[in-house]
Every structure is written in C-alpha cells, then in structure tokens.
Amino acid sequence: MNESAKISVKDFNLFYGKKKALNNINIDIFEKRVTALIGPSGCGKSTFLRSLNRMNDLIKDVTISGEVLIDNLPIYSKDIDVVELRKKVGMIFQKSNPFPKSIYENVAYGPKINGIKNKNELDEIVEQSLIRAALWEEVKDDMNKNGLALSGGQQQRLCIARALAVNPEILLMDEPASALDPISTTKVEDLIFELKKNYTIVIVTHNMQQAARVSDTTAFFYMGELIEYSDTKKMFTSPDKKQTEDYIRGRFG
C-alpha cells in the first residue's frame, strides 16, 4: 500500500508492572477503513486498542516502549495534549455508558466542555451527531428523556453520537455490540459501515462473523503478539499462519 497510514505502530511494547501485555507490535492502519482486532480473551487486543488514545495511562504501573504515530505525530511524546488526542480519537466501550442526563445533554456534553455555548450551534451538533449515529428518528421528539431510559441498543448508539459530537477522526470500538440483541447488533454493524465513509474505525470483536462482515482488514492477536494482519477476506479464506486458521476455524480460543 502506498497511501500513508492514519495510525502507524512501531516496535510497541506494553507492560502492566512486570507482565508484558503487548510484545513488539508493528502495524499500519489506514484511513476510512474498518480494522478488526480478533483473538482469544486476554490476548492483548483491548490493551492495544486503548494504547491508541492513551487510555492505558489511567492504569497504575503501565510502561511502554516503541511508537504510536497518528498522522505522523508520536502520541506518546511529552508535547502531546492528551485531551486533544482523545477528541481526535473517540472511544466506544463494550458496555454502553450514557450519562444520567437527557439525550440532548449526553450529546452536547463534549462540545460544551470544548467551549461551544451557542444554543443554535449546539442544537445543530446534537442533531447531526444523532443522525450520524442512526438514532435521530427514534428520539427527536423526546430529547429531554434520560439517556439511561433508552434500550441497550439505543444507549450504545447514543454513546456513538456522543463520541461523534466532538468531531473525531478515529473511532475505537471495544466490542460495541457484545451486550446487544441481534437486531440492535445489526443496527450497530450497519452504522459502522456508514461511519467508515468519514472515520477510521478500529474495532475489537470476539465475534468472527462480525469481523468478517464489518471490517476491511483484520489483525489477529495471540498472547500479546500480532500474529497476522491482512485483508479481511484473505484472512478468513486463506490465512498465512496455521495459528490464525486454527483460531478462525474455532479450534482454540
């Protein structure tokens, strides 16, 4: 690939205390694609995902070496403003976590913190974010309803709208549909497909079918190592490594 990577990870290692959680990860993730991270529980995929917006900084005794570049800027450098980084690199968690506020206030929260006070501007951001998150039609007549009163699938889309409201370029999704019923899961998958037109998306999933459906490229992690990374179709039909094939075919994990 000649295009320059949106995210470039070089010789990246991460330790929790003395335990090595990520071992010498090298990967280029390209713009406006969906990259799925797969692998058994505890293999490092969520740790890797959280490394891309420095969420691991919040955990005691974490040390890293190597580099993570976003748009060629080293995000672990001393000069990086982590708040700005997390605006650019939004995160959606496995368990939807709306604030105990109205739907409107959930989405307006980020823009307000970033200094937007104008009511018309906030209204526009909230509406556009909910439209992008495929939730507007369901909630537009009930914007004062508490976000926690929504269904699980709606709550997850509200969290996606909240992430979109601060205008990120990258969305990190940590098993965004694992707690949802099949219909809500389909809605979230359809949404991912739409969002990749404008955002670079990295998604952790345990669900092989989901990885095959939503992603353009797939990275297989095992025991803290990146075993294989390639075009999703290729990985699911003719992986290079036997280990990858065994995992995809359900022989372990």
Side-chain angles (χ1 to χ4, degrees):
M1 297 181 183
N2 315 333
E3 61 197 303
S4 67
K6 182 75 177 167
I7 305 169
S8 192
V9 179
K10 299 176 178 175
D11 303 330
F12 189 74
N13 298 282
L14 183 142
F15 291 84
Y16 293 124
K18 292 200 170 70
K19 181 182 182 293
K20 195 170 201 180
L22 291 172
N23 185 23
N24 207 36
I25 306 297
N26 287 280
I27 188 171
D28 283 342
I29 293 171
F30 293 91
E31 194 166 27
K32 295 181 184 167
R33 308 251 183 101
V34 179
T35 299
L37 311 179
I38 63 169
S41 293
C43 68
K45 55 192 188 298
S46 289
T47 298
F48 175 71
L49 190 76
R50 291 195 303 266
S51 303
L52 302 179
N53 69 346
R54 294 187 47 174
M55 288 294 276
N56 292 318
D57 291 15
L58 307 172
I59 301 168
K60 210 165 123 283
D61 287 342
V62 165
T63 51
I64 64 126
S65 64
E67 268 194 324
V68 178
L69 304 169
I70 293 181
D71 292 330
N72 289 322
L73 289 173
I75 68 166
Y76 283 88
S77 108
K78 299 268 187 292
D79 320 328
I80 288 288
D81 177 337
V82 178
V83 174
E84 285 300 310
L85 171 69
R86 291 189 190 137
K87 257 168 62 182
K88 184 172 180 166
V89 187
M91 184 116 190
I92 315 296
F93 296 93
Q94 179 173 0
K95 190 173 178 325
S96 52
N97 55 347
F99 302 134
K101 299 169 179 278
S102 70
I103 293 168
Y104 183 95
E105 287 301 327
N106 261 278
V107 185
Y109 179 82
K112 280 183 173 176
I113 280 188
N114 292 320
I116 294 173
K117 302 276 188 284
N118 180 299
K119 175 88 170 69
N120 291 343
E121 197 178 342
L122 285 169
D123 289 353
E124 174 68 13
I125 290 170
V126 169
E127 181 175 337
Q128 285 307 315
S129 301
L130 287 165
I131 288 170
R132 282 194 198 130
L135 188 58
W136 175 249
E137 289 302 322
E138 293 165 50
V139 301
K140 65 182 180 190
D141 300 324
D142 212 357
M143 296 293 280
N144 291 322
K145 184 177 181 174
N146 192 307
L148 296 170
L150 295 171
S151 73
Q154 289 174 321
Q155 285 189 23
Q156 193 57 297
R157 282 179 285 143
L158 178 62
C159 293
I160 292 171
R162 188 176 68 195
L164 297 178
V166 295
N167 231 355
E169 294 173 25
I170 297 166
L171 288 175
L172 308 178
M173 298 185 165
D174 196 354
E175 302 211 40
S178 67
L180 304 181
D181 63 84
I183 290 170
S184 300
T185 296
T186 301
K187 283 190 172 164
V188 169
E189 289 182 5
D190 290 347
L191 176 55
I192 290 168
F193 203 76
E194 276 303 301
L195 289 172
K196 79 169 180 182
K197 293 172 185 167
N198 297 302
Y199 306 93
T200 303
I201 299 173
V202 186
I203 177 172
V204 166
T205 178
H206 263 108
N207 181 326
M208 294 297 116
Q209 289 79 17
Q210 184 172 75
R213 282 193 299 265
V214 305
S215 69
D216 302 291
T217 49
T218 298
F220 170 52
F221 281 78
Y222 185 64
M223 310 270 291
E225 301 202 357
L226 175 58
I227 305 296
E228 187 166 344
Y229 175 51
S230 72
D231 176 82
T232 295
K233 200 168 277 170
K234 180 188 180 307
M235 187 174 288
F236 280 89
T237 52
S238 57
D240 291 334
K241 304 269 173 74
K242 181 168 187 317
Q243 224 171 356
T244 313
E245 186 179 355
D246 286 350
Y247 181 71
I248 286 170
R249 305 281 176 268
R251 293 189 194 120
F252 74 92

